[in-house]
Amino acid sequence: MTDKEVYRLYGRLSLVARSYPGVYLTFINHKALYNLLRIILLTEDTDGAGESFQSLTGLLKAILVANSVEMEAEANTLQKLEEVDDLKKALIMMQQDVMNNGAFGDNFTEIKKTQELKFLALHAFAQSRPDDYGMVLKKLMAQKGFNDIYHYWLAVYTPLKLYHDTNKYGEGLIRMSKEDFGSAPLVWDNMVTSLHGKCLDVNDLMKLREIMSDKEMQDHTCFRKFPVLKLSEEEYVIVSMFYYAQILYDGLQWDFLAALKKTFKRDFISEYPTDFSEKWMFCKLFESIGYKRKIWAEDDSRFDDKDAAPDIIVNTKRNIFMFEFKDMRVMKEVADGRDMNELLKYIDNRLNHKKDKNEGNKGVPQLVKDMENYFLGKFPPEFQEWNRNRQKVQPILVINSRVFTSRGVNQILQDRMRERIEESEVLRLHKKRIDDLLVIDYDMLVILLSKIRGNFAQLIKLKREYQYYTKRATAPIERFASFRGFAMRKWENERNKKNDRKIEKGFKEVTRNLTGYDFSRKR
């Protein structure tokens, strides 16, 4: 390449960089960014760095090579897919989302808000269980160098507050320097303390090689665990604001589970999802919507058989909403998205598994069983008051992991549910009264309930719009759209100050119910 070509291409990158202060570089393919970053970090120190023609040429070539390698890997992944028309198209859409999940900071503000909500809810939950969860969380904060969870929160939240513009977002490497905190050195010191255990020292090559193994690069696990690079004692770089935001709750959660296991000599990995995720985060969430005809089956004496009903039921005159919640974590080998046939098997195993000797129903078969029990009259008598011959069933599957709410997953699981309905003698008789399955993630449910605030007519309207949009579409990108993607785009187009204030008020109501904190009071 000639000098003119190189500088013209570099100028285009610089133009993009100037649009986002603090962002060094934006890559075309997100996996190329992390793979190239790994190569750079694991390379021995060399002389001659700088903005010379040779260094610019080398950087541009490295970008192109990294992109080329990644695109070739994606092409090989698609070639492995079996030749099933609609299913293959759905898997292609799913793969694109899985391989780009969170990499470009989409819906970053929403991630930040829901992580904050779960962080505060975890603290409130721990306070309600002082002898086990509360005691361990307090010790964990002390080990991290903080007097309480509030000082920890302020410190870890600092980069998001200082380096993020809520109206614009640029993905890339974001620099944090001590000189930025000239008038507040204590804030810098507290932030650095909070970063301990979350950053990689670029000067410790041996440690980098240990952490950045091929296995840890799957699903960028190493960068999710360590989203910050330590350049020196006075300078740090955030690899991804999205990954950094996720450590607010997700990162703390794993430290918390490890501390619980160490303290009580048993694994809390099975107890925690039930105690906190389901009984607190999911079921208490519905208490915030102020709707009278809702039931938490696990806590309702009218259900003799707790397996006869979904986790949450919302009963309106024309619709009965059945919510099943699944708190699942995905193995990094699967979430990496390199083998979509394996991901499809994983989805079937976790969300379309029928009861056997060793395990119970999961996901779709759970909802199918719930609907059978409803039509067989096993629900409380008051459900019969709402003209059951006309009432429509709305099955909704809520999943903690966003991997399962990528494009294509909703349509694949809807096909699985239709097959289950045809296999059921009871449901075949009532299939006209069973609406399409809706698959959403927990974070999306928080935003959704904050927005509708008990008005389930809005949910029905949004769901019908989504179904109409996907069913009339011919292009795969629209036909296999996720409910999350559809709703977020719609709300963004309708965004104005009035709507922003309304959803913010709803979000505070949800937070108050889950945590006990009243954000409407002046402090």
Side-chain angles (χ1 to χ4, degrees):
M1 300 174 71
T2 65
D3 292 26
K4 185 177 180 181
E5 289 171 330
V6 171
Y7 282 112
R8 185 169 65 243
L9 185 52
Y10 189 77
R12 289 165 62 188
L13 289 172
S14 299
L15 184 63
V16 173
R18 284 197 296 272
S19 302
Y20 303 101
V23 178
Y24 290 155
L25 193 61
T26 299
F27 286 80
I28 299 170
N29 182 289
H30 87 277
K31 281 188 176 286
L33 183 152
Y34 296 107
N35 290 329
L36 181 57
L37 180 57
R38 178 201 191 193
I39 292 170
I40 293 171
L41 290 173
L42 298 182
T43 301
E44 298 281 359
D45 290 339
T46 57
D47 298 326
E51 292 192 5
S52 64
F53 173 75
Q54 289 77 14
S55 65
L56 297 184
T57 303
L59 177 60
L60 293 173
K61 285 183 178 179
I63 294 170
L64 294 174
V65 168
N67 274 291
S68 177
V69 169
E70 205 50 53
M71 296 303 288
E72 184 177 354
E74 289 189 20
N76 291 335
T77 300
L78 296 180
Q79 289 175 1
K80 296 177 184 177
L81 296 177
E82 299 174 0
E83 292 294 332
V84 182
D85 293 339
D86 280 352
L87 181 58
K88 182 174 181 180
K89 291 175 183 178
L91 288 172
I92 291 172
M93 292 295 103
M94 193 195 315
Q95 187 215 30
Q96 291 178 358
D97 279 5
V98 169
M99 298 186 79
N100 291 279
N101 184 23
F104 298 110
D106 51 333
N107 302 324
F108 172 77
T109 302
E110 171 246 323
I111 275 285
K112 186 174 64 172
K113 288 172 73 69
T114 51
Q115 284 281 308
E116 178 179 1
L117 171 86
K118 287 186 275 191
F119 179 95
L120 294 172
L122 175 61
H123 180 224
F125 168 70
Q127 285 184 314
S128 73
R129 298 274 297 270
D131 295 334
D132 45 20
Y133 289 102
M135 178 262 293
V136 172
L137 185 60
K138 187 175 181 179
K139 284 185 177 180
L140 181 61
M141 290 297 104
Q143 290 171 6
K144 291 179 177 291
F146 294 92
N147 295 330
D148 53 50
I149 199 167
Y150 298 107
H151 286 88
Y152 172 78
W153 168 262
L154 290 172
V156 77
Y157 192 74
T158 297
L160 300 178
K161 187 67 175 177
L162 296 182
Y163 294 96
H164 176 63
D165 181 345
T166 56
N167 296 315
K168 294 181 180 179
Y169 180 71
E171 178 60 279
L173 305 179
I174 299 176
R175 174 179 174 268
M176 301 185 296
S177 173
K178 189 174 183 178
E179 64 184 10
D180 298 339
F181 295 75
S183 60
L186 184 59
V187 177
W188 169 264
D189 292 339
N190 287 336
M191 185 186 75
V192 170
T193 300
S194 73
L195 294 178
H196 180 71
K198 299 181 182 68
C199 59
L200 297 172
D201 190 340
V202 300
N203 299 305
D204 190 345
L205 191 58
M206 185 177 298
K207 188 69 173 178
L208 288 174
R209 285 174 177 163
E210 177 186 329
I211 291 173
M212 294 185 168
S213 64
D214 289 338
K215 188 174 183 179
E216 287 297 292
M217 282 300 292
Q218 289 180 331
D219 195 33
H220 305 138
T221 302
C222 57
F223 289 122
R224 291 178 186 272
K225 290 179 180 177
F226 307 100
V228 183
L229 302 179
K230 179 181 179 181
L231 305 185
S232 70
E233 295 297 334
E234 299 186 352
E235 191 173 17
Y236 292 78
V237 161
I238 296 180
V239 174
S240 164
M241 276 292 211
F242 186 89
Y243 290 165
Y244 184 85
Q246 286 187 313
I247 69 173
L248 295 177
Y249 164 74
D250 291 351
L252 177 65
Q253 171 193 231
W254 290 113
D255 291 343
F256 187 41
L257 287 170
L260 284 166
K261 184 177 181 180
K262 184 177 180 180
T263 303
F264 295 102
K265 310 302 180 186
R266 73 175 190 271
D267 199 343
F268 276 74
I269 200 70
S270 59
E271 296 176 35
Y272 182 80
T274 301
D275 290 345
F276 177 64
S277 301
E278 183 177 332
K279 292 184 179 179
W280 190 286
M281 285 294 295
F282 180 65
C283 293
K284 282 175 71 69
L285 178 64
F286 282 85
E287 294 178 14
S288 66
I289 62 177
Y291 196 83
K292 295 181 179 179
R293 291 190 298 274
K294 62 180 183 298
I295 294 175
W296 174 19
E298 181 69 26
D299 196 40
D300 197 293
S301 59
R302 290 170 295 179
F303 282 94
D304 296 328
D305 181 4
K306 301 305 180 185
D307 293 330
D311 295 323
I312 291 289
I313 310 159
V314 177
N315 189 22
T316 71
K317 289 185 177 181
R318 295 183 180 179
N319 296 276
I320 175 169
F321 294 85
M322 298 185 179
F323 291 86
E324 280 287 355
F325 175 67
K326 308 301 293 181
D327 184 5
M328 299 185 299
R329 284 150 185 83
V330 188
M331 296 185 300
K332 57 191 172 188
E333 296 83 359
V334 175
D336 192 56
R338 293 296 186 185
D339 190 333
M340 294 308 294
N341 288 320
E342 283 300 313
L343 182 54
L344 184 59
K345 290 178 185 177
Y346 195 80
I347 289 173
D348 270 329
N349 183 52
R350 300 305 300 271
L351 295 173
N352 191 34
H353 182 87
K354 205 164 185 179
K355 191 172 185 178
D356 55 29
K357 293 181 180 179
N358 300 318
E359 298 180 275
N361 291 330
K362 295 180 180 178
V364 170
Q366 274 181 291
L367 285 169
V368 167
K369 185 65 176 176
D370 296 336
M371 290 187 290
E372 286 178 336
N373 289 327
Y374 168 68
F375 287 117
L376 288 172
K378 293 184 179 181
F379 277 34
E382 57 264 38
F383 280 81
Q384 300 174 19
E385 298 174 6
W386 302 108
N387 195 353
R388 280 179 48 197
N389 292 325
R390 297 179 58 188
Q391 193 175 45
K392 201 157 192 177
V393 176
Q394 303 288 342
I396 300 178
L397 195 56
V398 183
I399 309 174
N400 208 36
S401 171
R402 291 194 180 201
V403 170
F404 293 109
T405 53
S406 301
R407 287 176 296 177
V409 176
N410 204 138
Q411 290 75 16
I412 289 172
L413 288 176
Q414 169 60 24
D415 287 343
R416 300 293 196 259
M417 193 176 80
R418 286 197 191 104
E419 293 171 0
R420 299 285 190 192
I421 290 172
E422 291 299 326
E423 293 171 0
S424 169
E425 184 177 347
V426 175
L427 297 186
R428 281 201 308 271
L429 298 174
H430 301 281
K431 61 183 179 181
K432 290 184 179 180
R433 291 174 52 203
I434 301 174
D435 205 2
D436 288 349
L437 174 70
L438 188 63
V439 182
I440 60 178
D441 60 274
Y442 178 83
D443 289 358
M444 180 64 190
L445 181 65
V446 169
I447 302 299
L448 178 64
L449 293 182
S450 299
K451 192 169 181 67
I452 68 172
R453 299 171 71 187
N455 185 353
F456 275 82
Q458 289 187 37
L459 175 54
I460 286 293
K461 182 174 182 293
L462 185 62
K463 185 182 179 186
R464 286 174 179 165
E465 289 176 354
Y466 168 66
Q467 291 168 345
Y468 178 74
Y469 175 83
T470 53
K471 288 179 179 179
R472 71 179 177 84
T474 54
I477 197 170
E478 296 173 346
R479 185 179 175 190
F480 299 107
S482 67
F483 179 73
R484 157 181 280 278
F486 172 81
M488 283 296 187
R489 282 193 300 273
K490 175 180 172 62
W491 292 339
E492 186 64 28
N493 293 334
E494 298 172 349
R495 188 177 177 187
N496 55 48
K497 289 184 178 179
K498 183 179 179 180
N499 287 340
D500 286 350
R501 286 195 299 268
K502 184 178 179 181
I503 195 171
E504 184 64 25
K505 185 176 180 180
F507 188 80
K508 287 179 179 178
E509 289 179 2
V510 169
T511 306
R512 181 175 65 246
N513 187 71
L514 284 174
T515 66
Y517 304 125
D518 188 354
F519 291 95
S520 64
R521 294 174 59 188
K522 294 184 178 180
R523 299 181 185 276

mmCIF file of all heavy atoms in Angstrom, residues 97 397 399 401-407 409 439-441 482-485:
data_model
loop_
_atom_site.group_PDB
_atom_site.id
_atom_site.type_symbol
_atom_site.label_atom_id
_atom_site.label_comp_id
_atom_site.label_asym_id
_atom_site.label_seq_id
_atom_site.Cartn_x
_atom_site.Cartn_y
_atom_site.Cartn_z
ATOM 1 N N ASP A 97 -26.177 -13.375 16.731
ATOM 2 C CA ASP A 97 -26.418 -12.733 18.026
ATOM 3 C C ASP A 97 -25.522 -13.305 19.116
ATOM 4 O O ASP A 97 -24.966 -12.569 19.933
ATOM 5 C CB ASP A 97 -27.887 -12.911 18.437
ATOM 6 C CG ASP A 97 -28.795 -11.910 17.754
ATOM 7 O OD1 ASP A 97 -28.292 -11.148 16.900
ATOM 8 O OD2 ASP A 97 -29.991 -11.873 18.058
ATOM 9 N N LEU A 397 -42.009 -17.767 28.609
ATOM 10 C CA LEU A 397 -40.823 -18.380 29.196
ATOM 11 C C LEU A 397 -39.801 -17.273 29.475
ATOM 12 O O LEU A 397 -39.364 -16.568 28.568
ATOM 13 C CB LEU A 397 -40.248 -19.406 28.209
ATOM 14 C CG LEU A 397 -39.226 -20.417 28.715
ATOM 15 C CD1 LEU A 397 -39.765 -21.213 29.889
ATOM 16 C CD2 LEU A 397 -38.816 -21.346 27.579
ATOM 17 N N ILE A 399 -36.082 -16.326 30.911
ATOM 18 C CA ILE A 399 -34.786 -16.989 31.082
ATOM 19 C C ILE A 399 -33.750 -15.965 31.529
ATOM 20 O O ILE A 399 -33.725 -14.833 31.037
ATOM 21 C CB ILE A 399 -34.338 -17.662 29.766
ATOM 22 C CG1 ILE A 399 -35.473 -18.556 29.229
ATOM 23 C CG2 ILE A 399 -33.085 -18.478 29.969
ATOM 24 C CD1 ILE A 399 -35.209 -19.139 27.887
ATOM 25 N N SER A 401 -30.467 -16.045 31.126
ATOM 26 C CA SER A 401 -29.370 -15.851 30.182
ATOM 27 C C SER A 401 -29.856 -15.267 28.871
ATOM 28 O O SER A 401 -30.833 -15.735 28.283
ATOM 29 C CB SER A 401 -28.671 -17.187 29.901
ATOM 30 O OG SER A 401 -27.742 -17.055 28.850
ATOM 31 N N ARG A 402 -29.151 -14.250 28.379
ATOM 32 C CA ARG A 402 -29.527 -13.632 27.104
ATOM 33 C C ARG A 402 -29.203 -14.515 25.902
ATOM 34 O O ARG A 402 -29.699 -14.261 24.797
ATOM 35 C CB ARG A 402 -28.806 -12.289 26.947
ATOM 36 C CG ARG A 402 -29.297 -11.231 27.907
ATOM 37 C CD ARG A 402 -28.805 -9.870 27.483
ATOM 38 N NE ARG A 402 -29.286 -8.852 28.400
ATOM 39 C CZ ARG A 402 -29.364 -7.579 28.088
ATOM 40 N NH1 ARG A 402 -28.992 -7.165 26.909
ATOM 41 N NH2 ARG A 402 -29.813 -6.699 28.961
ATOM 42 N N VAL A 403 -28.376 -15.516 26.093
ATOM 43 C CA VAL A 403 -28.063 -16.425 24.990
ATOM 44 C C VAL A 403 -29.340 -17.035 24.435
ATOM 45 O O VAL A 403 -29.502 -17.209 23.225
ATOM 46 C CB VAL A 403 -27.097 -17.533 25.457
ATOM 47 C CG1 VAL A 403 -26.960 -18.622 24.388
ATOM 48 C CG2 VAL A 403 -25.724 -16.939 25.767
ATOM 49 N N PHE A 404 -30.275 -17.348 25.332
ATOM 50 C CA PHE A 404 -31.509 -18.016 24.925
ATOM 51 C C PHE A 404 -32.550 -17.053 24.366
ATOM 52 O O PHE A 404 -33.642 -17.484 23.987
ATOM 53 C CB PHE A 404 -32.105 -18.776 26.103
ATOM 54 C CG PHE A 404 -31.271 -19.937 26.550
ATOM 55 C CD1 PHE A 404 -30.581 -19.898 27.737
ATOM 56 C CD2 PHE A 404 -31.165 -21.069 25.765
ATOM 57 C CE1 PHE A 404 -29.807 -20.966 28.156
ATOM 58 C CE2 PHE A 404 -30.395 -22.142 26.166
ATOM 59 C CZ PHE A 404 -29.708 -22.092 27.364
ATOM 60 N N THR A 405 -32.252 -15.767 24.345
ATOM 61 C CA THR A 405 -33.190 -14.823 23.745
ATOM 62 C C THR A 405 -32.577 -14.156 22.522
ATOM 63 O O THR A 405 -32.934 -13.045 22.159
ATOM 64 C CB THR A 405 -33.636 -13.755 24.766
ATOM 65 O OG1 THR A 405 -32.490 -13.130 25.345
ATOM 66 C CG2 THR A 405 -34.462 -14.383 25.867
ATOM 67 N N SER A 406 -31.662 -14.848 21.877
ATOM 68 C CA SER A 406 -31.117 -14.384 20.602
ATOM 69 C C SER A 406 -32.164 -14.584 19.515
ATOM 70 O O SER A 406 -33.151 -15.303 19.696
ATOM 71 C CB SER A 406 -29.843 -15.162 20.256
ATOM 72 O OG SER A 406 -28.853 -15.011 21.248
ATOM 73 N N ARG A 407 -31.936 -13.963 18.376
ATOM 74 C CA ARG A 407 -32.855 -14.133 17.249
ATOM 75 C C ARG A 407 -32.949 -15.613 16.878
ATOM 76 O O ARG A 407 -31.961 -16.320 16.862
ATOM 77 C CB ARG A 407 -32.376 -13.323 16.045
ATOM 78 C CG ARG A 407 -32.559 -11.830 16.193
ATOM 79 C CD ARG A 407 -31.979 -11.085 15.005
ATOM 80 N NE ARG A 407 -30.525 -11.259 14.926
ATOM 81 C CZ ARG A 407 -29.764 -10.769 13.955
ATOM 82 N NH1 ARG A 407 -30.317 -10.098 12.961
ATOM 83 N NH2 ARG A 407 -28.471 -10.951 13.958
ATOM 84 N N VAL A 409 -34.383 -18.105 18.489
ATOM 85 C CA VAL A 409 -34.693 -19.021 19.584
ATOM 86 C C VAL A 409 -36.202 -19.078 19.830
ATOM 87 O O VAL A 409 -36.772 -20.160 20.015
ATOM 88 C CB VAL A 409 -33.963 -18.599 20.877
ATOM 89 C CG1 VAL A 409 -34.368 -19.503 22.034
ATOM 90 C CG2 VAL A 409 -32.457 -18.658 20.676
ATOM 91 N N VAL A 439 -40.642 -15.787 24.426
ATOM 92 C CA VAL A 439 -39.402 -16.033 25.166
ATOM 93 C C VAL A 439 -38.711 -14.695 25.410
ATOM 94 O O VAL A 439 -38.396 -13.972 24.461
ATOM 95 C CB VAL A 439 -38.460 -16.975 24.384
ATOM 96 C CG1 VAL A 439 -37.197 -17.254 25.199
ATOM 97 C CG2 VAL A 439 -39.161 -18.281 24.036
ATOM 98 N N ILE A 440 -38.496 -14.362 26.685
ATOM 99 C CA ILE A 440 -37.815 -13.107 27.017
ATOM 100 C C ILE A 440 -36.806 -13.366 28.132
ATOM 101 O O ILE A 440 -36.918 -14.339 28.876
ATOM 102 C CB ILE A 440 -38.799 -11.992 27.451
ATOM 103 C CG1 ILE A 440 -39.606 -12.416 28.687
ATOM 104 C CG2 ILE A 440 -39.739 -11.624 26.324
ATOM 105 C CD1 ILE A 440 -40.554 -11.345 29.186
ATOM 106 N N ASP A 441 -35.823 -12.479 28.235
ATOM 107 C CA ASP A 441 -34.846 -12.600 29.314
ATOM 108 C C ASP A 441 -35.293 -11.770 30.511
ATOM 109 O O ASP A 441 -36.146 -10.888 30.396
ATOM 110 C CB ASP A 441 -33.460 -12.154 28.837
ATOM 111 C CG ASP A 441 -33.441 -10.712 28.379
ATOM 112 O OD1 ASP A 441 -33.763 -10.455 27.197
ATOM 113 O OD2 ASP A 441 -33.110 -9.834 29.187
ATOM 114 N N SER A 482 -35.947 -11.338 17.627
ATOM 115 C CA SER A 482 -36.281 -11.642 19.021
ATOM 116 C C SER A 482 -37.275 -10.613 19.530
ATOM 117 O O SER A 482 -37.351 -9.493 19.027
ATOM 118 C CB SER A 482 -35.026 -11.619 19.889
ATOM 119 O OG SER A 482 -34.503 -10.301 19.972
ATOM 120 N N PHE A 483 -38.034 -10.979 20.548
ATOM 121 C CA PHE A 483 -38.974 -10.039 21.150
ATOM 122 C C PHE A 483 -38.221 -8.860 21.754
ATOM 123 O O PHE A 483 -38.667 -7.720 21.663
ATOM 124 C CB PHE A 483 -39.795 -10.747 22.226
ATOM 125 C CG PHE A 483 -40.783 -9.850 22.921
ATOM 126 C CD1 PHE A 483 -41.936 -9.423 22.276
ATOM 127 C CD2 PHE A 483 -40.555 -9.408 24.218
ATOM 128 C CE1 PHE A 483 -42.848 -8.586 22.901
ATOM 129 C CE2 PHE A 483 -41.454 -8.575 24.860
ATOM 130 C CZ PHE A 483 -42.600 -8.159 24.206
ATOM 131 N N ARG A 484 -37.066 -9.153 22.381
ATOM 132 C CA ARG A 484 -36.250 -8.079 22.948
ATOM 133 C C ARG A 484 -35.865 -7.056 21.880
ATOM 134 O O ARG A 484 -36.055 -5.858 22.065
ATOM 135 C CB ARG A 484 -34.979 -8.665 23.579
ATOM 136 C CG ARG A 484 -33.843 -7.668 23.702
ATOM 137 C CD ARG A 484 -32.609 -8.262 24.308
ATOM 138 N NE ARG A 484 -32.740 -8.321 25.746
ATOM 139 C CZ ARG A 484 -32.502 -7.297 26.534
ATOM 140 N NH1 ARG A 484 -32.147 -6.129 26.028
ATOM 141 N NH2 ARG A 484 -32.622 -7.413 27.830
ATOM 142 N N GLY A 485 -35.321 -7.545 20.765
ATOM 143 C CA GLY A 485 -34.881 -6.641 19.708
ATOM 144 C C GLY A 485 -36.027 -5.827 19.139
ATOM 145 O O GLY A 485 -35.892 -4.623 18.900
#
